[in-house]
Amino acid sequence: MNSINDLYRQVIMEHYRSPRNKGLTSETGYISLRLKNPSCGDDITVQAKVENGKVVKIRHEGTGCSICCSSASVMSEVLKDKTIEQAKSIIEDYYNLIKGEPVKDEEALDEAIAYQGVANFPARVKCATISWKAIGAILEGHTGEQDVEE
Ligand code: ZN
């Protein structure tokens, strides 16, 4: 067992058991987006509040597998208090990580680096990226509900 696999299990279990920023809010100023991954049953809603070009709050709620739920929690921590530009760059790096491609800024990924292991399990890629796709779409100005595209 290598250390990245240990980290992967540890981060997933920890955030799955004690998710951060979980539960939706009815406060004003949030943009919501719901994404579903029919192949796994993941169904997640992400809410983000952007102020002065900065992501100040992120909430998430949903049901799904441990990879999906834990990665939503990790995402909500990693992208909080980042500018839109920083957040987009981290999101892009996260996709690189999941695809097993080189990342630009490993440090900025923080605990999300643990999901590196997903590159070895192509079937779980959608689970690990669904909440990141939701926040990415929010930052691009989308809202609503959709199924994750291939
Ligand atoms: Zn899943």
Side-chain angles (χ1 to χ4, degrees), residues 37 39-42 64-69 123-124 126-128 130:
N37 170 6
S39 65
C40 180
D42 300 328
C65 63
S66 58
I67 296 178
C68 164
C69 294
R124 312 315 298 272
K126 280 192 206 168
C127 304
I130 187 167

